[in-house]
Amino acid sequence: MSPTTFVPLDPGMTSEPQEEFYTLPPGGTNARDEESGSFLPSQATVKPIRNEVIIQSLFDDRLLLRKPVHVSIEREGESYIARCDLIEEFGYGRDMLEAVDDLRLTVAELYWTLKSGHANLGTDLGRIYRDLQELIAEVRR
Amino acid sequence: MNQETERQTPPSPIPLAFLLCDQVISDATTRKKTIIGVFDRIEISQFPAQYGPVSVYARLVAGEGHYKAIIEVVRLVDLGDENAGRMEGDVEVRGGTNMELGVQFPFITLHGEGRYEARLWLNDRYIHRFPFVVLQRQVEQRSQP
């Protein structure tokens, strides 16, 4: 596990967190139904499931994806499969984003597992670890 | 989005929190946020229904640049995603700052029971979701005196 770097505050600095709070406009810039123009659709509109989702973060705030990753979505019976061809990993879920979140968790766990034993990895796992290192950066804070 | 555009797009922030609640209050002096009434289920007696106000709070780190933010609320149905509400806006994040995002929907439209999600997209990239459930409240039948 990568150690967190703590930066002590210089004298004179306040302890207020450096944050920005953004509020999207009240009423919504796009809360209107595109077709009818009404504030919200009176009838349900159903959009088909995407067949691809782009991610650039994992469920681990110690890790960053260096570039956007395209995740393909497939349906298998009642379940959804999120597939990342770049690293040949899969996620599963009851719905599209549950599968994507499962994939993100899997990738993060795989990275730490391979990193902890990288000195003893075989050819295949060593290749996977190198692919992950190209894809993932550790966050230093 | 082609590869060149992807390279120029700022990195996606890392989500630390993404919640559905009744209200987000921001202290004008300290800028601290107070989140009121986090929930993950809604009970409705009759559908369709407009339920609100509903607020969404997100806290993210490691972002910098210009983002087109979309927060949508959908019902998960077999054929796809049924729209319940949507907000979008542009956000400019300074480097070295954490990011908090707050949205208040006057109401969301609930067409039926089931599983719903609030979703956050930044520059067309999936960031996080908050699942919740909508149930039909059973109305008690009172017997005649």
Side-chain angles (χ1 to χ4, degrees):
Chain A
M1 184 184 300
S2 173
T4 303
T5 302
F6 289 95
V7 178
L9 295 179
D10 292 335
M13 283 180 65
T14 69
S15 60
E16 277 187 15
Q18 293 299 304
E19 296 171 346
E20 293 292 340
F21 188 61
Y22 302 92
T23 306
L24 297 186
T29 58
N30 193 33
R32 293 186 178 274
D33 180 66
E34 290 174 0
E35 290 183 1
S36 69
S38 62
F39 188 68
L40 278 173
S42 54
Q43 289 188 347
T45 55
V46 178
K47 289 185 181 176
I49 299 289
R50 296 178 178 220
N51 54 21
E52 184 182 83
V53 170
I54 304 173
I55 61 171
Q56 203 175 349
S57 59
L58 300 173
F59 265 153
D60 189 322
D61 62 348
R62 299 165 296 174
L63 302 176
L64 271 177
L65 291 174
R66 297 180 195 272
K67 60 181 181 181
V69 171
H70 293 251
V71 177
S72 59
I73 306 296
E74 296 169 6
R75 184 110 185 237
E76 190 174 272
E78 296 293 317
S79 300
Y80 287 82
I81 301 172
R83 193 180 77 237
C84 176
D85 290 329
L86 208 58
I87 49 175
E88 298 171 10
E89 276 297 335
F90 300 85
Y92 298 90
R94 294 171 298 170
D95 56 77
M96 171 182 74
L97 293 184
E98 189 174 88
V100 173
D101 287 347
D102 186 52
L103 171 68
R104 286 162 34 158
L105 276 171
T106 300
V107 171
E109 286 173 4
L110 179 63
Y111 175 84
W112 294 120
T113 301
L114 293 181
K115 179 179 179 180
S116 66
H118 73 274
N120 303 315
L121 296 177
T123 309
D124 289 340
L125 286 178
R127 175 184 57 80
I128 293 172
Y129 181 54
R130 283 191 297 277
D131 290 343
L132 285 175
Q133 283 184 305
E134 284 183 16
L135 186 61
I136 295 172
E138 294 186 23
V139 177
R140 307 247 175 230
R141 284 194 244 130
Chain B
M1 188 181 290
N2 58 36
Q3 288 189 356
E4 184 58 35
T5 307
E6 280 194 352
R7 276 193 289 270
Q8 294 173 357
T9 305
S12 291
I14 302 171
L16 298 183
F18 188 57
L19 303 170
L20 211 63
C21 58
D22 293 330
Q23 196 177 6
V24 178
I25 298 171
S26 183
D27 188 294
T29 306
T30 65
R31 298 164 64 190
K32 289 183 180 178
K33 313 299 175 291
T34 301
I35 299 167
I36 307 293
V38 177
F39 63 88
D40 62 4
R41 61 189 283 154
I42 299 172
E43 291 188 8
I44 300 288
S45 56
Q46 196 174 359
F47 294 101
Q50 290 181 336
Y51 179 86
V54 170
S55 294
V56 178
Y57 170 83
R59 183 178 176 87
L60 310 105
V61 295
E64 182 177 357
H66 180 85
Y67 297 94
K68 179 181 176 183
I70 294 174
I71 294 181
E72 59 177 1
V73 181
V74 301
R75 176 186 175 201
L76 305 175
V77 297
D78 199 50
L79 294 177
D81 300 330
E82 186 180 88
N83 180 41
R86 180 184 169 100
M87 293 269 194
E88 61 181 67
D90 293 317
V91 174
E92 196 72 33
V93 181
R94 292 182 293 121
T97 59
N98 297 328
M99 178 183 175
E100 289 182 301
L101 194 63
V103 166
Q104 185 178 71
F105 289 85
F107 56 84
I108 53 176
T109 302
L110 308 175
H111 289 282
E113 276 191 312
R115 295 166 53 225
Y116 286 69
E117 278 182 356
R119 299 168 171 175
L120 173 63
W121 306 83
L122 293 175
N123 292 346
D124 203 34
R125 289 167 195 168
Y126 165 57
I127 303 299
H128 212 350
R129 68 190 179 110
F130 185 88
F132 62 100
V133 173
V134 173
L135 302 172
Q136 184 153 22
R137 183 187 302 136
Q138 300 299 322
V139 179
E140 284 184 10
Q141 298 290 335
R142 292 176 182 247
S143 57
Q144 296 293 329

